[in-house]
Amino acid sequence: MNIKEEFGIRPGEKAVELPAQPDAGVYFIGRIHTPWRARKDCPKNARGSDAVCTVALDPRFADGLKDVGSCSHLVLLYWMDKAPRNLVLQSPAHYGTQRGTFALRSPARPNPIAMSVVKLLGIEGPTLKVVGLDCLDGTPLLDIKPYFASVDSAPEATVGWHRDSK
Amino acid sequence: MNIKEEFGIRPGEKAVELPAQPDAGVYFIGRIHTPWRARKDCPKNARGSDAVCTVALDPRFADGLKDVGSCSHLVLLYWMDKAPRNLVLQSPAHYGTQRGTFALRSPARPNPIAMSVVKLLGIEGPTLKVVGLDCLDGTPLLDIKPYFASVDSAPEATVGWHRDSK
């Protein structure tokens, strides 16, 4: 850990040394366009907004959208490149309590890959209209997947720390 | 596209030229241990098995598991490094129909990041016991996230092509 990283962390946060080299590479396969240009403007969570957002897929991958229009919901994976990757304990400002990185959906994590479940409104060429995002305008897209309720939906799921922290 | 790639694809499949360089790097932050050593042994989907699987997190990130034990379900992201990344149209053997890559959960995709929703059974040190995986033993782990039913569960979701293909 270097001085700059130590200096940047808040009380209650803990950083670790990251591996010297990445193990694999990802391609940015498109960009997500949202109404939010600054972190402070983003909705607190994805169901807090019914804003229609646009997913602009790199046209080279457009054929990969065949049959996607038959899906009511999609899983989007995207890259949150503005956050530190070395924090294992965090104190998110809006909770004010120290939590483990893997108990949070914070963008600060070793691999800053966000996952959002979105409702698909329509597709035109390599462009999708969706609802259910809370990320910054221009966020790099990593993947689009069909959402299968049979394996992806767990309405009974609970997050104990979240319930208790109210 | 080079000859080798063209040679390797099946009828109904289409490959594209990938970008020359990756845009970002990921770290393998652990390994997933499952009972399945070969693709043909993996369950057809994750709810097809109640096998207990083990997630072995790199101990350097162990502090990041604080509060994770209070979650009933987790989202795991992992790297499916055995699949080609250049296919935009695929004909999965068990469906026999040409589909777009982004309408499938196939490991063959530009960024081979799989997402699985698992039930958490327990945590001991940097090791988690979970149910709900269908991946190969030794699969590299990318991320662990809390599953929030409020944003991640969409029981009403449908995948038209899948229903129609029965």
Side-chain angles (χ1 to χ4, degrees):
Chain A
M1 195 186 323
N2 65 33
I3 300 268
K4 190 168 158 242
E5 282 164 341
E6 279 198 285
F7 184 76
I9 69 177
R10 290 185 286 206
E13 297 194 328
K14 180 181 172 184
V16 296
E17 186 103 29
L18 290 171
Q21 299 291 334
D23 294 290
V26 293
Y27 304 115
F28 295 167
I29 63 168
R31 294 275 165 180
I32 298 174
H33 296 292
T34 73
W36 309 293
R37 302 287 168 89
R39 179 79 67 83
K40 65 172 175 41
D41 301 327
C42 292
K44 202 176 143 192
N45 77 56
R47 296 220 176 150
S49 167
D50 55 4
V52 176
C53 300
T54 302
V55 178
L57 182 67
D58 178 338
R60 84 169 74 203
F61 298 112
D63 282 333
L65 293 175
K66 181 175 182 307
D67 308 305
V68 170
S70 77
C71 301
S72 68
H73 293 69
L74 301 172
V75 173
L76 299 184
L77 300 182
Y78 46 94
W79 190 257
M80 298 175 295
D81 54 355
K82 306 268 186 279
R85 298 176 66 166
N86 61 346
L87 296 182
V88 287
L89 293 169
Q90 305 179 44
S91 291
H94 55 289
Y95 294 125
T97 308
Q98 183 194 55
R99 306 273 179 216
T101 288
F102 301 118
L104 296 169
R105 294 289 276 260
S106 157
R109 51 209 316 120
N111 293 304
I113 303 169
M115 187 278 282
S116 285
V117 177
V118 300
K119 223 183 268 195
L120 177 63
L121 301 184
I123 304 182
E124 215 179 288
T127 306
L128 295 79
K129 297 279 181 199
V130 302
V131 167
L133 288 170
D134 57 6
C135 62
L136 284 173
D137 186 46
T139 296
L141 177 71
L142 295 179
D143 202 9
I144 301 170
K145 298 179 190 294
Y147 183 98
F148 283 94
S150 57
V151 291
D152 301 323
S153 179
E156 74 280 19
T158 54
V159 176
W161 69 256
H162 193 257
R163 216 175 31 202
D164 297 340
S165 71
K166 275 177 187 163
Chain B
M1 195 185 322
N2 64 34
I3 300 267
K4 191 170 157 240
E5 284 165 340
E6 279 197 284
F7 183 77
I9 69 177
R10 290 185 287 206
E13 297 193 329
K14 181 182 171 182
V16 296
E17 186 102 31
L18 290 170
Q21 299 291 335
D23 294 291
V26 293
Y27 303 115
F28 296 166
I29 64 168
R31 293 276 166 180
I32 297 174
H33 296 293
T34 74
W36 309 294
R37 300 288 167 88
R39 179 78 67 82
K40 66 173 174 41
D41 301 327
C42 293
K44 203 176 144 192
N45 77 56
R47 296 220 176 149
S49 168
D50 55 4
V52 176
C53 300
T54 302
V55 178
L57 182 67
D58 178 339
R60 85 171 72 204
F61 299 113
D63 283 333
L65 292 175
K66 182 176 184 301
D67 307 304
V68 170
S70 77
C71 302
S72 68
H73 294 69
L74 301 172
V75 173
L76 299 184
L77 301 181
Y78 47 95
W79 189 257
M80 299 175 293
D81 54 357
K82 306 269 186 279
R85 297 176 65 167
N86 61 347
L87 296 182
V88 288
L89 292 169
Q90 304 180 44
S91 291
H94 55 290
Y95 294 126
T97 309
Q98 182 193 57
R99 306 274 180 215
T101 288
F102 302 119
L104 295 169
R105 294 289 275 261
S106 158
R109 48 207 319 118
N111 294 304
I113 304 168
M115 187 278 282
S116 285
V117 177
V118 299
K119 222 183 269 196
L120 176 64
L121 300 184
I123 305 182
E124 215 180 288
T127 306
L128 295 80
K129 297 279 180 201
V130 303
V131 167
L133 288 170
D134 57 5
C135 62
L136 284 173
D137 185 47
T139 296
L141 177 72
L142 294 179
D143 201 10
I144 301 170
K145 299 178 189 296
Y147 183 98
F148 283 95
S150 57
V151 292
D152 300 322
S153 180
E156 75 281 19
T158 54
V159 176
W161 70 256
H162 192 257
R163 216 175 32 203
D164 296 341
S165 72
K166 276 180 187 162

